[in-house]
Amino acid sequence: MSSGNVDVTAAGQRRVVITGVGAVSPAGVGADALFAAAVDGTCAIKPLTTEAAEAVNVHVAGLVADFDGTEHGLTKKQARRWERFVQYAAVAADEAMKDAGFAQVAPTDDDGNPVAGATEAGFMLPDGVDATRFAVVFGSGIGGMEMFTSESIRLHEKGAKRVNPLFIPTMISNIAAGELAIRFGLKGECANAVVACTTGTQCIGEAYRLIKWGVADYALAGGAEESVCDISIAGFSNLGALSHGEDPAATSRPFDASRDGFVAGEGAGAVVLETLESAQARGAHIIAEIVGFGTSCDAYHITSPDPSGEGVVRAMRNALADAGMTPADVGHLNAHGTSTVINDATEAAAFCELLGVDFSEVPVTSTKGITGHMLGAAGAVEAIVTALSVANDLVPPTAGFTEADPACPVTVLTEARRDYPQKLALSNSIGFGGHNATLAVAPFKE
């Protein structure tokens, strides 16, 4: 395929595979740490002791503890200037790009300087990889809230002339995608789908579509968030969305009868997608395959999902139709599962409607029992867990779940189900504004 051209004969027929994953989450830095916590059902939620959190009766959060970007490949300047959501995105993306074999460290000359063609970060793409066909689709639900808060205070206390000149390009949510494109020298489509808590899933789905339909051959996709900050905690708590529990291990409880709200989390998830043809030609390790993507809108309410679950059902059906599969092919659901009363009941009703009489045979899991709700990053880390789950023939348990809720008549595991081959799994996201998105992820088969 020549640079800048679209192979229309292959459009819509190209298979899209995952060849790299990376994560920064409350479970630690790295996709291995995330997946190990998911399989073991290890809750990574921690106490939150800020003055603002105490004022609104919030006691725990999915914190990325003791994170220092300079320990994970960032320069001191980047760690000082970049908002945390961008730092999380860069560290997760570094892992994913290296995992896929695309983030090659550029050789240096006799003076130790990277050779021509290297990016400022010292990376260069392998020979034969066209940077203009390498897309970046990476989002954040709310962007740089800490910068927004601090500069608003500065404006109020010290006046307009003292506002940081880099305020806008530092806090806007698309800057993670822009910085990643610069970091790796990726010159294809660069976009940021901002759809609240559906952002990570939507970004991966849009990247999948770009490749499937011949607009790109490769993509770096995902989401990042820095939502554990005073203004976010206060806003979500005053909205009535957050749990007021005090035990970190028993506060985020998706589908549990005692759930009372979500736990705010933060971090990033990144995946590298490419055509099957490219991955095989490179001899890349193929983790899993994205076989379908579906979206829908409830058109119901700005924060509450339509309690009938009709919009969620449509997103899942659209993903299955895109995959050319049926509900009978679903091995498990990685649910949005926020631990809020309305969301979990709605999603459970939607899944039962999708599967019909067979719903009790198909397990449901939620990663949010481990990480809390990572907002715009949630769908990305959940897509990673889903891909690794189908690749390893298992379904993770849901941390925090102890007592079934009759309003959520789905099968929630308390221990990992192993030796469980699946045709595909669904990964759901639901966002404020009525946004629904579903990825259909399958183990790779020739």
Side-chain angles (χ1 to χ4, degrees), residues 65-285:
D66 303 319
F67 178 82
D68 182 349
T70 63
E71 296 178 356
H72 303 285
L74 304 186
T75 66
K76 290 182 179 179
K77 181 179 179 181
Q78 290 166 342
R80 184 177 68 253
R81 284 196 172 185
W82 286 356
E83 281 288 85
R84 282 188 296 124
F85 81 99
V86 180
Q87 294 186 47
Y88 295 154
V91 173
D94 281 1
E95 181 186 11
M97 290 287 281
K98 290 174 183 176
D99 191 30
F102 282 121
Q104 296 187 354
V105 178
T108 57
D109 58 24
D110 293 339
D111 296 324
N113 299 312
V115 299
T119 66
E120 182 179 342
F123 294 122
M124 61 190 309
L125 296 174
D127 292 340
V129 176
D130 185 350
T132 68
R133 303 282 302 171
F134 209 130
V136 179
V137 190
F138 214 98
S140 176
I142 55 177
M145 293 301 287
E146 288 192 343
M147 171 67 99
F148 189 91
T149 302
S150 64
E151 293 306 308
S152 296
I153 293 171
R154 187 187 299 270
L155 171 66
H156 176 71
E157 294 183 347
K158 297 185 178 181
K161 290 188 176 181
R162 296 294 298 275
V163 171
N164 190 326
L166 294 177
F167 166 58
I168 297 298
T170 299
M171 58 76 62
I172 52 178
S173 63
N174 73 298
I175 205 64
E179 291 286 9
L180 295 181
I182 294 168
R183 188 168 183 80
F184 301 108
L186 310 180
K187 299 181 179 181
E189 184 167 321
C190 184
N192 166 31
V194 183
V195 279
C197 305
T198 313
T199 293
T201 298
Q202 188 78 33
C203 286
I204 295 173
E206 296 297 344
Y208 154 80
R209 285 174 169 171
L210 289 176
I211 296 172
K212 179 178 181 178
W213 291 99
V215 179
D217 298 327
Y218 326 89
L220 171 62
E225 208 73 87
E226 57 176 62
S227 51
V228 185
C229 58
D230 287 349
I231 195 166
S232 294
I233 296 295
F236 279 122
S237 181
N238 292 342
L239 182 65
L242 296 186
S243 171
H244 299 295
E246 299 183 15
D247 181 357
T251 305
S252 184
R253 312 181 73 172
F255 301 103
D256 192 272
S258 299
R259 68 191 185 281
D260 69 339
F262 77 79
V263 171
E266 62 181 2
V271 299
V272 173
L273 309 179
E274 61 185 294
T275 64
L276 172 60
E277 180 183 25
S278 164
Q280 290 178 327
R282 295 193 307 115
H285 170 61

